[in-house]
Structure formats: structure tokens, C-alpha cells
Amino acid sequence: MGRLVAAAGAVRQGTVVTVEDFRAYYTWRTWLGGWLVRLLCQVLFFSQLATLVGDSAYVVHVVVGASLMVGVLQAMQGASTMVRDILLGTLPLLAASPAEPGCFLLGRSLCWPLSGVASSSIVLLTMSPFFGASWTLLQVPLVVLLVLLTTLATYCMAMVLGALALIVPTANNLLSSLGNMATTVLCGAITPVHFWPGPVQAVAQALPATHGLSALLLLDADAGLGPTAWAAGHAVLAGLCWLALGLAAYRLLFSRARRGGSLLA
């Protein structure tokens, strides 16, 4: 119980920092009038391209996928924010503290996935009905819940990329870009997963976004709560696996730094 309390405290302390970071990036005016408008235009662009195919089911697939990716890719930004702490000189202080580093860093960039949940939910619920998706009032809370689960699970994957970026800070932008591209291409947001060869499909199953998108499409198709919950459960399971890997990676990194290693220098 003591460890859980300490871990929760570390997450809370990291969240305090990320709230101040987010306030430095955005105001409500710039978030709503700038960032959100940009995302609406982005989803509109991909959805309009999908209409050229002439398949209404594919149009729904793309508008739902592109809307979900709005939150997913914001969650992936958590990978790139870790390196900023090297430049700020705060990681050695974290290494010297008794806090669990992975738990602190879990809260450290939490503003990005939470912003992603809000923006993705707004875009999905406002744009998709114009392209054939139909959400009932009872489905709206489930839509937001699925976006939340998928985005947070993807954030857990971003933590692993963040740990790699701490080892090779100069590859930070490369790792972030590769993570974004791999997630966009493989999860089925634009190109359905079954289009790819078997080995690629197997890799796609490791991405929480693959299962989160599947759950949203099943919900839109009225496939029933059972199949939808099954797909959502796979997204959560994938996220938990990535979280465990990320926490272990940070513990290893900071343990080495505390013994005089130079990874955080």
C-alpha cells in the first residue's frame, strides 16, 4: 500500500508540472480557435479524399480513423517531451530523489493525451455525422470512453519511446516521427489492417490504436457491446503491457544513473 501511495504521489507531482507546461503552450482561445480548428480541417481533408473512392463504408472508416488519430498522435507527443528535461537539467534532480521516475514521468506529459482526448472526441462527434457515421445519445459516452482508453494506452507506448529518446537524445525527433508514422500507417486509420501482409498485421496488434479503432467502428456498426468491449479490452491490455515495459525501462535508466552512469548527463 505504501508503494502505491508513493507512486500516486509521484504521478500527481508530475501532473502539476505538466499543467503549467500546458498553460505555457495554450490558452483557451488559442486551443479552441487555433489548434482545434486546425484538427477539424485535417480530418475534413482526409474525409474528402476518402469520398473519391466511392465507398460509403470506407468513408466512415476514414473519418472515424482520422478523428481518433487526432488524440493518438497528441499522446505520442509525450515521447518527445522527455528530452526537454535533459536540456532543463531536471533529470539529475529526479535521479537524486527517492521518487519512482517512471511514475513521475507518467504524469509529467499527461497534458498531451488529455488534450488529445478532448480534441479527438470533439472532432469525432462533430465531423463524422457529416460523412455517414451515426452516434446515438446513448453511444456518445461510450465514444468518449473508447477515445480515452485508446489515447491513454497509446501514451503508455509513447513512454517507451521516451525512454529510448533519453538513451539517444539526438534521435528524439526521429523516434517521435517513426512512432507517429508507424501508428498512423499500421493501426488502420486510413488503410484497413487486413490490407497488409500477415507479419505486418501481427505487428499492428501491438498498437493500442488498432484495437481502439476497431472498437469505435464496431460501435458505429451496432455490432453489440460484447464485440466492442472485447476490442476495447485488447486496447487496454496492449496499453498495460507498454506501461509495464516503460516503467521497467525508466527504473533501469535511473538506477544506472544513480550508480554513476552518464545516461542522463
Side-chain angles (χ1 to χ4, degrees):
M1 184 61 68
R3 289 186 177 181
L4 289 176
V5 172
V11 173
R12 182 186 61 80
Q13 291 165 354
T15 304
V16 171
V17 177
T18 197
V19 168
E20 295 305 318
D21 263 3
F22 194 75
R23 287 177 177 173
Y25 271 89
Y26 294 110
T27 64
W28 282 109
R29 180 177 299 177
T30 58
W31 192 88
L32 290 171
W35 175 246
L36 187 60
V37 171
R38 179 243 185 214
L39 297 177
L40 288 167
C41 292
Q42 174 181 308
V43 174
L44 178 63
F45 172 76
F46 285 109
S47 302
Q48 289 284 13
L49 285 181
T51 60
L52 300 178
V53 177
D55 185 343
S56 58
Y58 178 67
V59 174
V60 172
H61 182 108
V62 169
V63 70
V64 173
S67 299
L68 180 62
M69 290 307 295
V70 164
V72 166
L73 294 183
Q74 278 185 264
M76 293 294 289
Q77 290 183 18
S80 61
T81 58
M82 305 298 180
V83 173
R84 287 210 313 264
D85 286 328
I86 295 180
L87 302 177
L88 294 173
T90 56
L91 287 184
L93 296 176
L94 180 58
S97 76
E100 181 66 35
C103 293
F104 176 83
L105 293 172
L106 177 65
R108 172 66 179 85
S109 300
L110 197 57
C111 63
W112 302 116
L114 294 182
S115 171
V117 171
S119 54
S120 185
S121 298
I122 293 172
V123 172
L124 183 59
L125 293 172
T126 56
M127 292 294 296
S128 59
F130 290 102
F131 292 92
S134 55
W135 311 108
T136 66
L137 288 178
L138 293 177
Q139 288 178 325
V140 170
L142 294 177
V143 169
V144 176
L145 177 60
L146 290 174
V147 171
L148 174 66
L149 293 177
T150 305
T151 305
L152 290 180
T154 301
Y155 178 57
C156 294
M157 184 176 73
M159 286 191 64
V160 177
L161 294 179
L164 293 176
L166 289 183
I167 298 174
V168 191
T170 55
N172 178 44
N173 291 334
L174 177 61
L175 288 170
S176 180
S177 298
L178 288 176
N180 289 340
M181 288 189 295
T183 302
T184 303
V185 171
L186 298 180
C187 78
I190 306 299
T191 304
V193 175
H194 61 74
F195 170 82
W196 302 109
V200 179
Q201 293 185 38
V203 173
Q205 302 310 307
L207 304 177
T210 302
H211 306 288
L213 175 59
S214 176
L216 279 171
L217 293 173
L218 288 169
L219 183 65
D220 175 70
D222 291 324
L225 289 179
T228 302
W230 181 259
H234 278 80
V236 173
L237 179 60
L240 291 175
C241 291
W242 284 107
L243 177 61
L245 182 60
L247 293 177
Y250 285 116
R251 175 172 290 186
L252 181 61
L253 274 171
F254 280 81
S255 175
R256 180 170 179 177
R258 286 161 178 164
R259 293 196 304 268
S262 58
L263 287 174
L264 305 179

